């Protein structure tokens, strides 16, 4: 694995803080109705992305996820101003404002969504991995899903074929404990989600996903296995989300005290403490980073506010009509 150094921790802190503040800003503008529809925020789960980005080959490897998908493309290099503009429904967004919150997409940065159907991205991730193997490109596909999505039958179909074909894919369950609002304990007889891989003799393990180093170590091993031709891995990344499933979630299924307990092991504060303890930076340096992050978020908001909405014709330009489509009867 690439060595974790002083610069790694400083990058992790600045990136995770930016992702957190970016999502906080989206929550604010959602209340102002500048962002419409559903909005699913990543607060608390940042260590997963930080660890993953550290060990990925950004030239080859791909990422696909569900609808909690704003900060992943940013981590992979997409301009955050364009991501915010997409949530605003503006023409300068990643999909000209037509995708919105749940459908950020950037194949040029190896990010393949952003999928609104629960578990819909699981077989697609395996399909991307099949393409990598078929064309001998050498890439590995990180397929992210929530703990709620493991109840989808397509997961088991995909695990079976991925293992049978030794596809270069890593299944990463972002297990925040509650799916949409039902705890893992209430939803399944098997609380240890990682054990689902055992039925397919797939390498699998639980991971402390509140610490980016632990995520990086587990994913590095899984990516190496996949790239070597030994097939997939199934990882149970144990994390926690501080906000509700979406902005419309009243969160009656958990107590404020529980959230506060998890905030004591916040991944951003964890990295910050390491930086200060090891004297990688001073308190003043941290304040400078926080100031940079705040200004960067302001730039994103300003860009989204000032961008134009797409022309109505754009909606029709992305829908095509095939004149000789064989299953529609033509008028006599």
């Amino acid at each position: 694995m690439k060595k974790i150094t002083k610069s790694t921790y400083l990058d992790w802190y600045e990136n995770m803080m930016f992702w957190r503040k970016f999502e906080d800003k989206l929550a604010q503008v959602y209340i102002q109705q500048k962002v419409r529809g559903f909005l699913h925020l990543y607060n608390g789960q940042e260590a997963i992305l930080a660890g993953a980005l550290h060990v990925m080959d950004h030239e080859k490897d791909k990422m696909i996820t569900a609808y909690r998908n704003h900060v992943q493309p940013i981590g992979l290099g997409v301009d955050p101003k364009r991501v915010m503009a997409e949530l605003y429904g503006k023409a300068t967004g990643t999909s000209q404002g037509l995708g919105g919150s749940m459908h950020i997409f950037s194949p040029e940065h190896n990010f393949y969504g952003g999928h609104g159907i629960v578990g819909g991205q699981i077989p697609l991730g395996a399909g991307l991995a099949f393409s990598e193997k078929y064309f001998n490109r050498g890439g590995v596909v990180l397929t992210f899903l929530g703990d709620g999505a493991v109840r989808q039958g397509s997961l088991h179909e995909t695990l079976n074929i991925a293992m049978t074909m030794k596809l270069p894919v890593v299944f990463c369950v972002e297990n925040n404990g509650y799916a949409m609002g039902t705890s893992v304990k209430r939803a399944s007889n098997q609380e240890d989600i990682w054990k689902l891989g055992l039925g397919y003799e797939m390498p699998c393990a639980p991971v402390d996903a509140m610490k980016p180093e632990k995520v990086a170590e587990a994913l590095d091993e899984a990516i190496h296995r996949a790239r070597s031709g030994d097939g997939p891995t199934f990882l149970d990344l144990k994390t926690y989300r501080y906000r509700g499933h979406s902005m419309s979630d009243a969160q009656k299924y958990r107590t404020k005290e529980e959230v506060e307990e998890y905030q004591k092991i916040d991944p951003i504060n964890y990295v910050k403490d390491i930086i200060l303890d090891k004297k990688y930076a001073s308190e003043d340096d941290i304040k400078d980073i926080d100031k940079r992050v705040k200004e960067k978020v302001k730039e994103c908001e300003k860009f989204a506010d000032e961008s134009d909405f797409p022309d109505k014709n754009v909606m029709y330009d992305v829908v095509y009509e095939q004149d000789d489509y064989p299953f529609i009867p033509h008028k006599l």
Side-chain angles (χ1 to χ4, degrees), residues 89 91 96 98 308-319:
Q96 300 182 68
L98 301 179
D308 294 326
F309 286 103
D311 187 88
K312 288 183 180 180
N313 287 333
V314 173
M315 290 189 292
Y316 302 101
D317 289 342
V318 295
V319 180

Side-chain angles (χ1 to χ4, degrees), residues 137-298:
R137 296 192 184 109
V140 175
V141 180
L142 302 188
T143 300
F144 288 90
L145 57 142
D147 52 284
V150 303
R151 312 303 166 203
Q152 293 286 353
S154 61
L155 171 73
H156 298 274
E157 297 169 356
T158 304
L159 294 184
N160 182 57
I161 196 167
M163 196 62 190
T164 301
M165 301 184 73
K166 294 292 187 288
L167 298 179
V169 56
V170 183
F171 298 102
C172 308
V173 182
E174 294 184 302
N175 181 3
N176 58 41
Y178 284 105
M180 285 184 67
T182 303
S183 69
V184 173
K185 183 180 294 187
R186 291 179 58 207
S188 175
N189 186 54
Q190 177 54 268
E191 292 181 47
D192 295 321
I193 289 175
W194 63 272
K195 291 182 179 178
L196 295 178
L198 296 175
Y200 304 92
E201 297 186 355
M202 182 183 295
C204 51
V207 180
D208 177 0
M210 299 301 276
K211 298 176 180 177
E213 308 98 326
K214 297 295 184 182
V215 176
E217 289 167 7
L219 278 174
D220 183 66
E221 182 180 347
I223 289 172
H224 178 74
R225 179 184 296 119
R227 213 183 308 278
S228 300
D230 294 329
T233 300
F234 186 78
L235 296 176
D236 181 1
L237 305 175
K238 296 181 181 296
T239 184
Y240 197 81
R241 55 171 167 77
Y242 299 144
R243 292 185 178 271
H245 171 71
S246 70
M247 287 293 289
S248 59
D249 181 3
Q251 304 183 60
K252 294 183 178 180
Y253 47 83
R254 62 182 182 181
T255 64
K256 291 182 179 179
E257 291 74 21
E258 178 184 303
V259 177
E260 289 170 359
E261 280 301 306
Y262 274 95
Q263 286 174 331
K264 292 177 182 178
I265 57 171
D266 181 276
I268 299 177
N269 290 335
Y270 166 78
V271 169
K272 177 182 175 182
D273 289 343
I274 290 175
I275 289 171
L276 294 174
D277 289 345
K278 292 184 177 290
K279 294 182 169 48
Y280 289 158
S282 66
E283 288 281 7
D284 286 340
D285 294 328
I286 293 294
K287 289 178 182 177
D288 287 340
I289 293 173
D290 292 345
K291 185 179 179 181
R292 269 202 312 272
V293 163
K294 187 176 180 180
E295 290 301 316
K296 195 174 175 182
V297 172
K298 279 185 179 178

